[in-house]
Amino acid sequence: DGGITQSPKYLFRKEGQNVTLSCEQNLNHDAMYWYRQDPGQGLRLIYYSQIVNDFQKGDIAEGYSVSREKKESFPLTVTSAQKNPTAFYLCASSPAGVDGNYGYTFGSGTRLTVV
Amino acid sequence: DAKTTQPTSMDCAEGRAANLPCNHSTISGNEYVYWYRQIHSQGPQYIIHGLKNNETNEMASLIITEDRKSSTLILPHATLRDTAVYYCIVRALLGTSGTYKYIFGTGTRLKVLA
């Protein structure tokens, strides 16, 4: 069954620590995305990648970093520079880059809490 | 910079049709309208998309006005499990890069009542 997997489902971080959220897809999609969702809010774009070894900042990239070494994987690191990291993080993928009229497939999300 | 406008919330009786409106008056001629829904603490789920013709699948129907400035998602027989936030989405230009992103607004919170 093709899909997109995020792990872990729940993550707790102490202030000052970096944490990495995993996102893996087996859909052979070229483009991958990271969104952040705060309670009662819509999704905001953090980073996106249209191709391996390339990624671009979205609307709220400060305090986050990504890599795209493999087509299947797009991990997100929440660094200590992110002042308000507690949120629900969603990873998505699509068949082609953002130029195309393609819908997204989403993962089930990671809920990050700073303790 | 949301490109769509949706009502904040709606109620619908179980078994009745739920009609969720969306305004997208700045949509370009070759852009699709997508609908997703999100059940609490899960990832958004794709429902349907369309360009200018009405579309139907096993989940819903999508009615797009002739001028394409608005659309309506129809859940023909709403169930309690359809309670969710429904997002209507079109593309938006990402800065000056010439690339696009999908902007998710706050959506419509649909509550199906028993």
Side-chain angles (χ1 to χ4, degrees), chain B residues 14-34:
Chain B
E14 188 178 20
R16 303 297 294 269
N19 297 282
L20 290 85
C22 178
N23 289 320
H24 33 79
S25 57
T26 60
I27 193 170
S28 299
N30 63 345
E31 292 182 1
Y32 284 74
V33 178
Y34 284 84

CSV table of all heavy atoms in Angstrom, one decimal, chain B residues 14-34:
chain,number,residue,atom,x,y,z
B,14,GLU,N,-27.9,14.6,10.4
B,14,GLU,CA,-27.4,13.3,9.8
B,14,GLU,C,-28.4,12.8,8.8
B,14,GLU,O,-29.6,12.9,9.0
B,14,GLU,CB,-27.3,12.3,11.0
B,14,GLU,CG,-26.7,11.0,10.6
B,14,GLU,CD,-26.6,10.0,11.8
B,14,GLU,OE1,-27.3,10.2,12.8
B,14,GLU,OE2,-25.7,9.1,11.7
B,15,GLY,N,-27.9,12.3,7.7
B,15,GLY,CA,-28.7,11.8,6.6
B,15,GLY,C,-29.1,12.9,5.6
B,15,GLY,O,-29.6,12.5,4.5
B,16,ARG,N,-29.0,14.1,5.9
B,16,ARG,CA,-29.3,15.2,4.9
B,16,ARG,C,-28.0,15.5,4.1
B,16,ARG,O,-26.9,15.2,4.5
B,16,ARG,CB,-29.8,16.4,5.7
B,16,ARG,CG,-31.0,16.2,6.6
B,16,ARG,CD,-32.2,15.8,5.8
B,16,ARG,NE,-32.7,16.8,4.9
B,16,ARG,CZ,-33.6,17.7,5.2
B,16,ARG,NH1,-34.1,17.8,6.4
B,16,ARG,NH2,-34.0,18.6,4.4
B,17,ALA,N,-28.2,16.3,3.1
B,17,ALA,CA,-27.1,16.7,2.3
B,17,ALA,C,-26.4,17.9,2.9
B,17,ALA,O,-27.1,18.8,3.4
B,17,ALA,CB,-27.6,17.1,0.9
B,18,ALA,N,-25.1,17.9,2.9
B,18,ALA,CA,-24.3,19.0,3.4
B,18,ALA,C,-23.7,19.8,2.2
B,18,ALA,O,-23.1,19.1,1.4
B,18,ALA,CB,-23.2,18.5,4.3
B,19,ASN,N,-24.0,21.0,2.2
B,19,ASN,CA,-23.6,21.9,1.0
B,19,ASN,C,-22.6,22.9,1.6
B,19,ASN,O,-23.0,23.8,2.3
B,19,ASN,CB,-24.7,22.6,0.4
B,19,ASN,CG,-25.7,21.6,-0.3
B,19,ASN,OD1,-25.4,21.1,-1.3
B,19,ASN,ND2,-26.8,21.4,0.4
B,20,LEU,N,-21.3,22.8,1.2
B,20,LEU,CA,-20.3,23.7,1.7
B,20,LEU,C,-19.8,24.6,0.6
B,20,LEU,O,-19.2,24.2,-0.4
B,20,LEU,CB,-19.1,22.8,2.2
B,20,LEU,CG,-19.3,22.0,3.5
B,20,LEU,CD1,-20.0,20.7,3.2
B,20,LEU,CD2,-18.1,21.9,4.3
B,21,PRO,N,-20.0,25.9,0.8
B,21,PRO,CA,-19.7,26.8,-0.3
B,21,PRO,C,-18.2,27.3,-0.1
B,21,PRO,O,-17.7,27.3,1.0
B,21,PRO,CB,-20.7,28.0,0.0
B,21,PRO,CG,-20.9,28.0,1.5
B,21,PRO,CD,-20.8,26.5,1.9
B,22,CYS,N,-17.7,27.8,-1.3
B,22,CYS,CA,-16.4,28.4,-1.3
B,22,CYS,C,-16.3,29.5,-2.4
B,22,CYS,O,-16.7,29.2,-3.5
B,22,CYS,CB,-15.3,27.3,-1.5
B,22,CYS,SG,-13.6,27.9,-1.6
B,23,ASN,N,-15.8,30.6,-2.0
B,23,ASN,CA,-15.5,31.6,-3.0
B,23,ASN,C,-14.0,31.7,-3.4
B,23,ASN,O,-13.2,31.7,-2.5
B,23,ASN,CB,-15.9,33.0,-2.5
B,23,ASN,CG,-17.4,33.1,-2.4
B,23,ASN,OD1,-18.2,32.7,-3.3
B,23,ASN,ND2,-17.9,33.7,-1.3
B,24,HIS,N,-13.8,31.7,-4.7
B,24,HIS,CA,-12.4,31.8,-5.2
B,24,HIS,C,-12.4,32.7,-6.4
B,24,HIS,O,-12.1,32.3,-7.5
B,24,HIS,CB,-11.8,30.4,-5.5
B,24,HIS,CG,-12.8,29.4,-6.0
B,24,HIS,ND1,-13.2,29.4,-7.3
B,24,HIS,CD2,-13.4,28.4,-5.3
B,24,HIS,CE1,-14.1,28.4,-7.4
B,24,HIS,NE2,-14.2,27.8,-6.3
B,25,SER,N,-12.7,33.9,-6.1
B,25,SER,CA,-12.9,34.9,-7.2
B,25,SER,C,-11.7,35.2,-8.0
B,25,SER,O,-11.8,35.7,-9.2
B,25,SER,CB,-13.5,36.2,-6.7
B,25,SER,OG,-12.7,36.7,-5.7
B,26,THR,N,-10.5,35.0,-7.5
B,26,THR,CA,-9.2,35.3,-8.2
B,26,THR,C,-8.6,34.1,-8.9
B,26,THR,O,-7.5,34.2,-9.4
B,26,THR,CB,-8.2,35.9,-7.3
B,26,THR,OG1,-7.9,35.0,-6.2
B,26,THR,CG2,-8.7,37.2,-6.7
B,27,ILE,N,-9.3,33.0,-9.0
B,27,ILE,CA,-8.8,31.8,-9.6
B,27,ILE,C,-8.4,32.1,-11.1
B,27,ILE,O,-9.1,32.8,-11.8
B,27,ILE,CB,-9.8,30.6,-9.5
B,27,ILE,CG1,-9.1,29.3,-9.8
B,27,ILE,CG2,-11.0,30.9,-10.3
B,27,ILE,CD1,-9.9,28.1,-9.4
B,28,SER,N,-7.3,31.5,-11.5
B,28,SER,CA,-6.9,31.6,-12.9
B,28,SER,C,-7.6,30.5,-13.7
B,28,SER,O,-8.0,29.5,-13.2
B,28,SER,CB,-5.4,31.5,-13.0
B,28,SER,OG,-4.8,32.5,-12.3
B,29,GLY,N,-7.5,30.7,-15.1
B,29,GLY,CA,-8.2,29.8,-15.9
B,29,GLY,C,-7.8,28.4,-15.9
B,29,GLY,O,-8.6,27.5,-16.2
B,30,ASN,N,-6.6,28.1,-15.6
B,30,ASN,CA,-6.1,26.7,-15.7
B,30,ASN,C,-5.9,26.1,-14.3
B,30,ASN,O,-5.2,25.1,-14.2
B,30,ASN,CB,-4.8,26.7,-16.5
B,30,ASN,CG,-3.7,27.5,-15.8
B,30,ASN,OD1,-3.9,28.3,-15.0
B,30,ASN,ND2,-2.5,27.2,-16.3
B,31,GLU,N,-6.4,26.8,-13.3
B,31,GLU,CA,-6.2,26.3,-11.9
B,31,GLU,C,-7.3,25.4,-11.4
B,31,GLU,O,-8.5,25.8,-11.6
B,31,GLU,CB,-5.9,27.4,-10.9
B,31,GLU,CG,-4.7,28.2,-11.2
B,31,GLU,CD,-4.4,29.3,-10.2
B,31,GLU,OE1,-5.3,29.5,-9.3
B,31,GLU,OE2,-3.4,30.0,-10.3
B,32,TYR,N,-7.0,24.3,-10.8
B,32,TYR,CA,-8.0,23.5,-10.2
B,32,TYR,C,-8.4,23.9,-8.9
B,32,TYR,O,-7.7,24.6,-8.2
B,32,TYR,CB,-7.5,22.0,-10.1
B,32,TYR,CG,-7.4,21.3,-11.4
B,32,TYR,CD1,-6.4,21.6,-12.4
B,32,TYR,CD2,-8.3,20.3,-11.7
B,32,TYR,CE1,-6.3,20.9,-13.6
B,32,TYR,CE2,-8.2,19.6,-12.9
B,32,TYR,CZ,-7.2,19.9,-13.8
B,32,TYR,OH,-7.2,19.2,-15.0
B,33,VAL,N,-9.6,23.6,-8.5
B,33,VAL,CA,-10.1,23.7,-7.1
B,33,VAL,C,-10.0,22.4,-6.4
B,33,VAL,O,-10.5,21.4,-7.0
B,33,VAL,CB,-11.6,24.2,-7.1
B,33,VAL,CG1,-12.0,24.4,-5.6
B,33,VAL,CG2,-11.7,25.6,-7.8
B,34,TYR,N,-9.4,22.3,-5.3
B,34,TYR,CA,-9.3,21.1,-4.5
B,34,TYR,C,-10.1,21.2,-3.2
B,34,TYR,O,-10.1,22.3,-2.6
B,34,TYR,CB,-7.8,20.8,-4.2
B,34,TYR,CG,-7.0,20.3,-5.3
B,34,TYR,CD1,-6.4,21.2,-6.2
B,34,TYR,CD2,-6.8,18.9,-5.4
B,34,TYR,CE1,-5.7,20.7,-7.3
B,34,TYR,CE2,-6.0,18.4,-6.5
B,34,TYR,CZ,-5.5,19.3,-7.4
B,34,TYR,OH,-4.7,18.8,-8.4
